Amino acid sequence: MMTYFVTARQDEIYYVTGVPATEWNLNDRWLPSSKEEMREIYKGWHPTVQALVEGTVEVTKWSLLERDPLPLWSRGRMALLGDACHPMKPHMAQGAAMAIEDAAMLVRCFKEVGAEHHAQAFALYEANRAARASKVQRISHENTWLRTNEDPAWCFGYDVFSVPLVDAGAKTPVAA
Ligand SMILES: Cc1cc2nc3c(=O)[nH]c(=O)nc-3n(C[C@H](O)[C@H](O)[C@H](O)COP(=O)(O)OP(=O)(O)OC[C@H]3O[C@@H](n4cnc5c(N)ncnc54)[C@H](O)[C@@H]3O)c2cc1C
C-alpha cells in the first residue's frame, strides 16, 4: 500500500494498493468498491492496514494496463513518449518520471540535429531512450525494485542533459 498525505495539515490521506483480479471488462475505466470489500481483502493484515481501511471514505478500483516494450517509437511526423510508448505497472513509481525524461531527451535531440530534421531527431531520441525505458518497464512488471540492497543511482541519478548520447540507429541492448 502506498500512502500519501494530500493536505499540508496532514489530516487527509490518499492510498493506493493492488489486488489481483481474475477478470476485468476493458470497457470499464473504473468501478466503485467499498470499505466492506477492502475489509474482506485485507482481513488479518497489519493493524496499520486495518486502520487505513477503517478510515477510508471512498474506494474505487481500476485496471493496471501495461505492454511489452514497443519495437517502433515513431513513424513519419509522429513520435510516442510516456505511457503511450511504454505503459508500465506503478511498482517503481517511475512512469511519469520516464515520460518527463522522454520529453527532455526529445528536446535535446531536436537541439542536436536541428528542428527541421525531425526524422533524425526521432531516431536519436529512440536510440537514447528505448533501453532505459524498457528496463524500467520490465522491472516494474516484475515488481522487484529495491527488494535487495541494490544501488538505485542508475535510476535516480540519470541526467537527460549530461548522459552521453549514443548514435541514432544504435540499438542499445536492453540491460538484463
Ligand atoms: C497507481 C499509480 C501510481 C503511480 N505513481 C507514480 C509515481 O509515484 N511516480 C511516477 O513517476 N509515476 C507514477 N505513475 C505513473 C504515471 O501516472 C504515468 O506514467 C504518467 O501519468 C504518464 O504520463 P503521460 O503523460 O504519458 O500519460 P497520461 O498521464 O495518461 O496523459 C495522457 C493524457 O492524454 C489525454 N488523452 C487521451 N486521449 C486523448 C485524445 N484523443 N485527445 C486529447 N487528449 C487525450 C488523457 O486524458 C490524459 O490526460 C503511477 C501510476 C499509477 C496507475
Side-chain angles (χ1 to χ4, degrees), residues 10-38:
Q10 301 197 345
D11 58 358
E12 201 174 315
I13 285 173
Y14 171 86
Y15 70 89
V16 61
T17 185
V19 178
T22 46
E23 55 184 30
W24 183 268
N25 180 349
L26 285 174
N27 291 321
D28 291 327
R29 292 284 304 278
W30 63 274
L31 291 174
S33 179
S34 63
K35 204 189 282 197
E36 287 67 35
E37 188 174 8
M38 293 290 284

Side-chain angles (χ1 to χ4, degrees), residues 73 81-82 86 97-107 125 129 133:
W73 281 36
L81 60 76
H86 39 67
M98 290 299 115
I100 292 165
E101 287 182 8
D102 287 346
M105 181 59 82
L106 197 51
V107 168
Y125 157 68
R129 288 296 304 158

Side-chain angles (χ1 to χ4, degrees), residues 45-119:
W45 283 56
H46 192 276
T48 304
V49 173
Q50 308 297 334
L52 272 173
V53 170
E54 290 311 312
T56 303
V57 177
E58 188 185 1
V59 197
T60 55
K61 52 187 176 183
W62 69 96
S63 55
L64 288 176
L65 303 175
E66 58 170 356
R67 280 186 195 281
D68 290 332
L70 291 178
L72 184 71
W73 281 36
S74 69
R75 179 176 286 162
R77 299 177 67 85
M78 188 176 77
L80 298 176
L81 60 76
D83 276 11
C85 189
H86 39 67
M88 60 186 76
K89 288 186 180 172
H91 301 312
M92 273 181 85
Q94 284 295 305
M98 290 299 115
I100 292 165
E101 287 182 8
D102 287 346
M105 181 59 82
L106 197 51
V107 168
R108 183 176 173 189
C109 293
F110 268 115
K111 280 189 174 156
E112 194 74 18
V113 301
E116 65 281 19
H117 301 300
H118 69 272

Side-chain angles (χ1 to χ4, degrees), residues 5 11 18 32 40 57 66 91 119 124 141 148 163 169:
F5 287 114
D11 58 358
E40 190 56 33
V57 177
E66 58 170 356
H91 301 312
L124 192 59
H141 171 80
T148 58
V163 69

